[in-house]
Amino acid sequence: MSKLLKACMLWFSVASSAWLQAAGGEFTPGQLQFFETRIRPLLAEKCYKCHSHKARKLKGGLYLDSRPGVLKGGDTGPSIMPGKSGESLLIKAVEYKNPDLQMPPKSKLTVAQIKDLEKWVDDGAPWPKEAAPSSSGGAREAFNLASRRAGHWSWKPIAARSQPRVKNSKWSGHPVDRFILSRLENEGLKPSAPAERRTFQRRLTFALHGLPPTQDQVQAFLNDKSSNAVEKLVDRLLDSPRFGERWARHWLDLVRYAESRGHEFDYNAANAFRYRDYVIRAFNSDVPYNQFVTEHVAGDLVPNPRLHPEENYNESVLGTGFWFLGEWIHSPV
């Protein structure tokens, strides 16, 4: 056989193999054996904990336990380009050349393992035909905004509802109480007996202020025989600075407010109290929720910021202080 004929046959073999792979055809037995003995065990050991359908929490939207998953890639795009290891994100990640893209994160692969991955990608990423893996808690469901919006109560349009019929119509004339009483009656239950005035005041004060009423406040309420005594009590509690101090705590918990950083050194968070006081003032001033959130996200860009009620400085910008909160890790890395 002439050298020219041998060269043509070799070229045809390589070209046809590449064409079959591109067209979804079978890989050679040798390529599949290389994948099963060198690549799949490597992926299972180093990658599947975070990048498989069995992962407890999928990282970066990337599946590496199927060929379609590898080709599709994750949040940053396709993980490989078959036949082009030098242009593949997976190879760049394991080479640790980019400090922002290093996988596996805890330890770099050996030189031999990286070369195996490069060879696998340059060969077209051989993978046997197999059923798609099933999820077990780590899969990321597609976010369907339309279905979420259609099914969630908060997006449904406001509609007037007629008050339900109740047996004990004398229990309360308030429309909201009718719905509560209707559910109680459906369950065969009866409302609790009305609390006596001292207990009622104590419960209400704890709910709105987080503190018990003083003896003078108790006596004043007990002595008030007017028909709107309860309304006056509620107004007084809502008008008190203690109301904002009580209810601001729920928001401060949400944004992880603390006046020090935590961790072993527990450094103080400078001026954290200014954000705390800002939240308290916002609750006591009845700032609308949409404005309150806007000030948190971009309080420095509000065209007409709110002003401090006494010192007249920019109040809205203080909302951005929540970005500064939270635990800091003080390790040198």
Side-chain angles (χ1 to χ4, degrees), residues 13-22 24-41 67 82-83 116-129:
S13 174
V14 173
S16 60
S17 176
W19 181 84
L20 284 171
Q21 292 168 18
E26 297 292 337
F27 293 101
T28 68
Q31 290 174 328
L32 295 178
Q33 182 181 13
F34 181 81
F35 170 76
E36 293 292 2
T37 58
R38 308 286 283 274
I39 302 303
R40 197 196 292 269
R67 191 169 191 272
D116 284 347
L117 285 173
E118 290 176 341
K119 171 178 168 49
W120 174 65
V121 174
D122 287 334
D123 284 348
W127 201 300
K129 290 184 177 180

Side-chain angles (χ1 to χ4, degrees), residues 102-122:
Q102 295 182 347
M103 293 293 164
K106 293 185 178 179
S107 62
K108 185 179 179 181
L109 299 180
T110 66
V111 174
Q113 290 171 329
I114 294 175
K115 287 188 176 299
D116 284 347
L117 285 173
E118 290 176 341
K119 171 178 168 49
W120 174 65
V121 174
D122 287 334

Side-chain angles (χ1 to χ4, degrees), residues 158 210 237:
I158 297 175
L237 294 173

